[in-house]
Amino acid sequence: MLKLLRQYNQWILVVGGVLLLIAFLMPSTIESCARSSGASGSTWATYGSGSTATGADYELAQQELRVVDLLKGQNSYQMLERLGATENPAHWWLLVREATNAGLVGGTGDGEAALAIIASGGTVSANQVAFNLAKASGTNPDIVVSTLSKLQGVMRLVSLARSVDRVSDRRLEQSVAKALLGISGDVVVIDARKSDRIDAPAATEDALKAQFEKFADKTAPAANAAGVDSFGYRSPDRFKLEWLKVSKAAVAAGVAGSPELETLALKKRFAQDPAKYAGATISPAFADFEATVRQKTTDELVAARMKEITKFASDQLALAQRTLKREGAYYALPEDWASRMPSLTDLATSIAEEYKIELPAYQSSGDAWMTRQELDATPVLPFTSTDRFGAPVRCSQLVAGAKELSAADVNAPFQLNIASPALVDTSGDAYFVRMIAAAKSAPAADLASVRADVERDALSLERFRWLEQNESQILAQAVSEGVRAVADRFAVPVEFGKDMREAQEGAITIGFRFSTPIPGLDGDAKALAKLVEKASRLPLTADVSTLPPAERTFAILAPDRLSLALVQVTDIAPCTEEKYRQLVSTSQNLVGVVRDESTVIDDTQVFSYDALAKRNNFKPSREAEDSADATSTADASSAG
């Protein structure tokens, strides 16, 4: 017996150990399975007309939210985050239910398409993305695909709700008629910013201080856009630049003597691919297409040489930067970098010597500071761009996004004293641009620094207030003496406004408003709306020019342009019923002209948890959720 035990002692220990392990784990496993079964089959919530959602539904919603949580940065996750549905399984479940009931949730193909989109931004396949998401979320690839499919459906549901227009037939008809009402007449615009015939006192010192304090930190509006509340004395982002230009014409001159352009070499090219030069010509002869072969070959040689030169220049610049440390998307520049950085003039010399071409031209903005608007007004640089960062980025866009300015763009990193990648203009010339000084936008320091601007704006305000106070008197003069008399009084021209209307017929058919504005008011939509409102009360079928001037002469205050406009209507062109019916029958986007942003559905309210629960009569059972949470905790403890 002892001999037998010694012979099989290892087997006896293994079998005995397994039996003891089974005996130890069996009770907890049975208990865990029982709890899991009980939680899955228990009632999580009731909804609708008495239907029930079980613990299994709750557990699935939890798993799906774990998948969703891995999609941070995606538009779909941001949409759910805005709705507040990234943490609450019940909220997610209700969103999916409504999307499913609306027929907006597709099958597995929808989820696989979403996976393909996610995978397109990286180097792994869609299947690998599904596996990674499943592993990270503790689910399986089927749940990942199903979750993405449901997420697409929820996105469709929210998008459709946001695009719904609540417009009645009557309102649509009235709005289209108002938008297409054409008004013609003589127009006089008295601009308080320009007219020195307005008898208004200069602003007091206290008024100047109040004006400065109110707008010291505001950005100045665009030219001719200053209004009652649209002033600004904040200094814009400013910078100084230097750049190097590699001329395509100089490179073309450099390759003119290339052996590749000798007749024999051109004949070989032609023989290798006649269709490239002769098209569909049958039995083409080289002599007939020699000029074409020469030109295409020259273009190819120039393009290749330009590519070589820009790479050479980029490598030379990068060589000097190789020892610099990185801080995210930018270089950490040492204090003495300005004296150590490579000179663009030296780079120009190296390029000319290496490729035997004319010396690339060096230019700079000098001591003068530039703004983005001034950069866009230069004759060359605004038309240059680079595709180094994916989508094309223009020079002014790249510079405006510099690290040292107020709108740094890490997606297209650019910084002080580091040259840009090659920027190419429409003619093929290449540029390397470097910012050598930068000043971030800042509030005006004191009144003295911008006193002239403040005095000008304060005087314009005083003049506009005078126009407001004397509006009725000026209108009376226009009625009694004519608009030209008013124009002469204020030394402004009389312009004829033809078919001034809030929307052009060609644009309204595609759902947009492209107006024909009042001359002299720089497209002020509010002033045009006031004119249309007043002119719409005139007889639509009568000869308006025969009406008394008092009935067809209007004064329009335009505070957004600090102006008063006088319009004496001579003709109106209403939208006929026939024209309206034609527009309705041919345009699917007509409702866009009456879209009121105040009536647009707020998806954060419509799809909030409370709103969804109320619509679906959703009543959760806390006991079921607590039971399911306890099961998940127990399972996690057992696994640990």
Side-chain angles (χ1 to χ4, degrees):
M1 184 68 178
L2 291 175
K3 183 178 180 182
L4 182 65
L5 289 174
R6 289 193 191 98
Q7 185 176 358
Y8 297 102
N9 64 341
Q10 291 183 349
W11 282 102
I12 292 171
L13 287 173
V14 170
V15 172
V18 170
L19 291 174
L20 287 172
L21 185 62
I22 292 174
F24 177 75
L25 293 178
M26 184 63 73
S28 61
T29 303
I30 294 173
E31 183 181 354
S32 176
C33 291
R35 282 200 306 266
S36 177
S37 176
S40 298
S42 64
T43 298
W44 166 40
T46 61
Y47 63 93
S49 301
S51 300
T52 59
T54 67
D57 296 319
Y58 179 70
E59 291 172 6
L60 179 60
Q62 284 184 312
Q63 292 175 345
E64 291 172 343
L65 276 186
R66 290 203 297 270
V67 175
V68 169
D69 190 59
L70 298 171
L71 302 178
K72 289 179 180 177
Q74 301 282 331
N75 291 336
S76 53
Y77 182 87
Q78 293 170 0
M79 178 269 295
L80 282 183
E81 189 175 38
R82 191 179 71 253
L83 300 180
T86 56
E87 303 292 337
N88 186 353
H91 197 170
W92 162 254
W93 186 86
L94 287 167
L95 282 170
V96 172
R97 181 173 188 271
E98 290 211 342
T100 302
N101 289 344
L104 299 175
V105 176
T108 55
D110 222 4
E112 290 169 353
L115 276 176
I117 293 174
I118 296 172
S120 65
T123 58
V124 298
S125 67
N127 288 337
Q128 186 62 45
V129 170
F131 176 80
N132 292 342
L133 290 174
K135 182 178 179 181
S137 62
T139 60
N140 59 64
D142 289 340
I143 289 180
V144 169
V145 173
S146 174
T147 301
L148 293 177
S149 178
K150 292 175 181 178
L151 186 55
Q152 298 305 306
V154 171
M155 289 184 67
R156 294 187 189 106
L157 175 69
V158 175
S159 177
L160 285 173
R162 284 176 57 84
S163 63
V164 168
D165 291 292
R166 293 179 278 185
V167 179
S168 66
D169 292 346
R170 182 177 294 277
R171 183 182 171 206
L172 178 63
E173 182 176 353
Q174 292 174 346
S175 298
V176 171
K178 178 174 173 289
L180 290 181
L181 178 64
I183 305 163
S184 299
D186 295 323
V187 178
V188 171
V189 174
I190 308 168
D191 191 336
R193 298 164 297 181
K194 301 174 182 177
S195 178
D196 58 2
R197 298 289 186 89
I198 300 174
D199 187 18
T204 64
E205 190 67 19
D206 288 342
L208 292 178
K209 290 180 180 178
Q211 174 77 7
F212 170 76
E213 290 173 359
K214 184 176 181 180
F215 298 103
D217 195 23
K218 300 289 180 65
T219 302
N224 299 323
V228 171
D229 293 311
S230 300
F231 298 103
Y233 308 112
R234 184 183 182 91
S235 65
D237 284 337
R238 296 172 299 154
F239 44 82
K240 297 177 183 179
L241 300 176
E242 63 176 357
W243 61 92
L244 189 67
K245 174 186 175 181
V246 180
S247 169
K248 182 179 178 180
V251 173
V255 302
S258 170
E260 293 290 327
L261 294 176
E262 294 178 359
T263 302
L264 182 59
L266 294 177
K267 285 183 176 181
K268 289 181 178 179
R269 281 177 172 263
F270 182 78
Q272 290 171 353
D273 190 1
K276 178 178 178 180
Y277 309 99
T281 304
I282 300 174
S283 301
F286 170 76
D288 297 332
F289 296 96
E290 182 176 357
T292 302
V293 178
R294 186 176 298 279
Q295 184 60 55
K296 286 191 175 184
T297 303
T298 300
D299 292 344
E300 291 172 3
L301 293 175
V302 170
R305 184 60 57 85
M306 286 294 294
K307 188 174 181 180
E308 287 178 26
I309 292 174
T310 56
K311 185 179 185 306
F312 172 81
S314 297
D315 289 345
Q316 292 297 306
L317 293 168
L319 187 63
Q321 297 161 191
R322 70 187 185 281
T323 59
L324 299 179
K325 294 181 179 179
R326 286 275 194 173
E327 292 180 351
Y330 302 102
Y331 289 101
L333 301 181
E335 293 183 0
D336 62 344
W337 175 250
S339 61
R340 289 170 42 198
M341 65 182 182
S343 165
L344 292 187
T345 53
D346 290 345
L347 178 61
T349 301
S350 298
I351 292 172
E353 292 175 353
E354 180 73 17
Y355 293 95
K356 304 299 185 291
I357 62 171
E358 177 185 327
L359 185 71
Y362 169 84
Q363 287 182 271
S364 78
S365 57
D367 294 331
W369 289 96
M370 299 179 71
T371 64
R372 179 174 182 174
Q373 289 72 25
E374 291 168 343
L375 177 57
D376 280 330
T378 59
V380 177
L381 289 179
F383 304 102
T384 63
S385 65
T386 177
D387 58 3
R388 168 76 174 274
F389 310 107
V393 177
R394 292 183 298 109
C395 178
S396 61
Q397 182 182 353
L398 183 67
V399 173
K403 173 189 176 184
E404 292 76 14
L405 301 181
S406 57
D409 183 3
V410 295
N411 295 316
F414 185 67
Q415 67 184 111
L416 186 71
N417 291 332
I418 294 292
S420 71
L423 295 154
V424 181
D425 67 12
T426 52
S427 64
D429 296 336
Y431 294 76
F432 291 89
V433 178
R434 183 160 60 195
M435 186 168 66
I436 53 177
K440 186 181 291 188
S441 173
D446 50 47
L447 175 58
S449 63
V450 290
R451 188 177 187 89
D453 293 337
V454 175
E455 287 179 344
R456 178 199 63 210
D457 295 339
L459 179 58
S460 297
L461 273 176
E462 291 293 337
R463 288 172 173 174
F464 180 72
R465 292 190 183 105
W466 186 92
L467 289 175
E468 283 184 302
Q469 295 166 2
N470 293 272
E471 176 186 356
S472 57
Q473 182 268 329
I474 297 172
L475 176 60
Q477 181 185 8
V479 170
S480 60
E481 302 177 30
V483 293
R484 188 165 295 279
V486 176
D488 293 341
R489 174 184 173 185
F490 293 97
V492 294
V494 178
E495 297 185 70
F496 183 73
K498 181 174 176 58
D499 285 334
M500 296 173 285
R501 61 184 70 198
E502 292 186 279
Q504 298 174 12
E505 184 180 323
I508 205 174
T509 57
I510 56 176
F512 292 99
R513 286 177 177 265
F514 293 126
S515 65
T516 305
I518 301 173
L521 286 184
D522 301 306
D524 189 338
K526 294 179 181 177
L528 180 58
K530 292 178 184 177
L531 173 61
V532 171
E533 182 65 29
K534 295 183 177 184
S536 62
R537 299 167 188 162
L538 296 173
L540 299 180
T541 57
D543 183 356
V544 176
S545 63
T546 62
L547 296 177
E551 296 181 19
R552 56 188 178 90
T553 306
F554 307 112
I556 310 294
L557 271 173
D560 290 344
R561 297 295 183 270
L562 294 177
S563 300
L564 173 67
L566 297 166
V567 181
Q568 192 165 80
V569 180
T570 58
D571 187 31
I572 58 175
C575 175
T576 64
E577 186 174 348
E578 292 75 17
K579 173 59 68 178
Y580 173 74
R581 289 177 178 173
Q582 179 185 351
L583 289 172
V584 169
S585 63
T586 58
S587 173
Q588 297 179 350
N589 301 307
L590 192 62
V591 74
V593 301
V594 295
R595 179 174 289 116
D596 183 354
E597 294 300 325
S598 65
T599 67
V600 172
I601 289 176
D602 183 355
D603 55 3
T604 61
Q605 295 296 322
V606 174
F607 297 110
S608 67
Y609 173 72
D610 291 339
L612 286 165
K614 184 177 181 180
R615 277 202 304 276
N616 291 273
N617 194 26
F618 183 83
K619 298 178 182 178
S621 167
R622 294 304 306 172
E623 294 77 10
E625 291 189 13
D626 293 343
S627 175
D629 286 334
T631 300
S632 299
T633 304
D635 290 344
S637 299
S638 299

